[in-house]
Amino acid sequence: MLGLEGVERRFANGIVALRDCSFAVAGGEILALLGPSGCGKSTVLRLIAGLEQPDAGRLVWAAGRPEIAYVFQDATLMPWASVAANVALPLRLRGVAKGERLARAAEAIERVGLAGFATARPAELSGGMRMRVSIARAFVARPAVLLMDEPFAALDEITRLKLDDELRRHARDLKLTVVFVTHSVFESVYLADRILVLSPRPGRVVAEHPIAGGADRGPAFRAAPGYAAQCGAVSASLARAMGERP
Amino acid sequence: MIARLAPLLPVLIGLAVLAGWEALVAIRGIPPYILPAPSRVAQSLWLDRAILLPALLVTLEITAAALIAASLAGVGLALLFVQSRWVERSLYPYAVVLQVTPVVAIAPLVLIYVTEPFWALLTCAAIVAFFPVLANTTQGLRATDPGLLDLFRLYGAGRWQQVAWLRLPSALPHFLGGLRISGGLALIGAVVAEFAAGSTAGRASGLAYRILEAGYRLNIPRMFAALVLVALAGIAIHLALGALSRVILGRDQP
């Protein structure tokens, strides 16, 4: 679906975030980019989203640029606007008529389990609920690709596990291709179909781990011995990427 | 019990000071042209109401007009600053110059070039009041959540959509904070400019002019009465702008 070919990105202050970064994303897969802090993971997402341009190399979409949604580490909501208005924002910016945009927002709000909170303000919601609003907003424009930048990192463990489960379900229902960035080995193994390990800055792909475990995951997947083994293998290659002895 | 009395403490202290003042004037037999007793000031407030109330209205009118002018200029300039760093770099120093130059020094010049007294006083008061609105609004427009700015770009928002739907609502609490400071400054500006204008104020005679006039006539109780009205006007403006912020931002905001 998407290929990055020898992508390089340097910032005005001389820091090179990415160098010779190449990988492919298959349609419908959930791909995790795992790496230490400051390795340019977020920059990869910003390049894919078109918020930044590569300084060398290129991004190639197999069939033109699809609809892309982006979920940030924080919920990133407009505090003055209701849940419905926040979720409908992408449609409003696209000039979709009010009736249709409210109907589609209501549908997205229901999908993430927040029916009944459409008129609430972000300040009245918990951190997990705010993240759900952010996810509903990502779904509302019917994206083909979902980019997520450490989306649940700021949440508590229980909420995070729950949202991880829901996310896999939504991705399958909506036939989404998901690329997400994380520094959590456990989250990447649980959530992803495939993990790419990035080196410290300048970031490039140094290891690849397909995750066995099928589409349906849940508490049983986490309890299985295969899960721990895969976490161990991914941790070892992350340590190698960091230049440590595993 | 003591905690519940806390809000009343300033009132009690005020009453105690007034009572002491009243007693001092009575016991020492101080004449009103040296120091009028509070009761004498109150009497002057009532007896001179035909002079003082129109003057209060004039001062309030100038203050309100100056505050509106300062808000429009401040927000307009802040929007310009956010669109272009070059514009900000070119103009911001002059905004600071305007802010740090005392209005008493500017007022005589303004009075020469703006012949209509109402507009001259308004200009002076607006110059004093506009900086907090400008500085706060600029800061608010710049403090817009970078994630939301990215989101707007991702969905192809135009420049005016970004300003109207994102930057202005983000800056609103900052703007209202600036407005509360500017409200007090506009009153100070209006009063100081009128002092500088002196007798040239003519028809637009506000409280400051009445204080000067009463001073020339050694009518000290009326000076105090006009001063009381200036202070009350300041408190009223402060409370009104605080209430405006709460209505706009909702009750849960500080």
Side-chain angles (χ1 to χ4, degrees), chain B residues 53-124:
Chain B
L53 283 183
L56 172 65
L57 285 182
V58 168
T59 299
L60 283 178
E61 199 182 341
I62 291 169
T63 304
L67 195 55
I68 291 168
S71 301
L72 292 176
V75 172
L77 205 53
L79 283 172
L80 209 60
F81 282 3
V82 177
Q83 296 302 315
S84 156
R85 284 269 179 197
W86 290 107
V87 174
E88 179 172 4
R89 281 191 195 151
S90 318
L91 294 183
Y92 195 76
Y94 294 101
V96 174
V97 167
L98 220 49
Q99 159 74 6
V100 297
T101 310
V103 70
V104 237
I106 307 174
L109 279 174
V110 173
L111 287 157
I112 291 172
Y113 297 112
V114 184
T115 45
E116 176 64 35
F118 176 84
W119 291 104
L121 297 181
L122 188 152
T123 306
C124 293

Side-chain angles (χ1 to χ4, degrees), chain A residues 132-187:
Chain A
R132 286 201 166 96
V133 176
S134 184
I135 291 167
R137 180 180 60 195
F139 290 158
V140 82
R142 296 181 184 145
V145 175
L146 176 62
L147 306 174
M148 300 200 299
D149 193 348
E150 299 188 12
F152 308 138
L155 300 178
D156 61 273
E157 186 79 11
I158 295 167
T159 311
R160 196 167 71 226
L161 296 180
K162 199 160 180 323
L163 285 175
D164 281 347
D165 285 337
E166 289 176 15
L167 191 76
R168 277 199 70 87
R169 185 162 51 77
H170 295 317
R172 196 181 48 205
D173 290 353
L174 300 170
K175 298 181 174 60
L176 285 171
T177 303
V178 180
V179 180
F180 77 99
V181 150
T182 182
H183 53 234
S184 161
V185 170
F186 303 105
E187 186 169 44

Side-chain angles (χ1 to χ4, degrees), chain A residues 27-99:
Chain A
E29 78 169 331
I30 300 181
L31 177 68
L33 300 175
L34 178 68
S37 295
C39 73
K41 303 185 296 272
S42 301
T43 306
V44 173
L45 292 190
R46 295 177 62 80
L47 288 166
I48 296 175
L51 294 171
E52 287 178 28
Q53 300 303 320
D55 294 303
R58 57 189 195 138
L59 259 92
V60 186
W61 292 99
R65 189 180 184 278
E67 178 71 46
I68 296 173
Y70 202 127
V71 174
F72 301 89
Q73 181 169 354
D74 301 309
T76 314
L77 304 175
M78 302 179 288
W80 58 86
S82 67
V83 166
N86 267 294
V87 171
L89 177 71
L91 302 178
R92 191 176 179 210
L93 289 172
R94 290 276 165 80
V96 174
K98 190 172 183 182

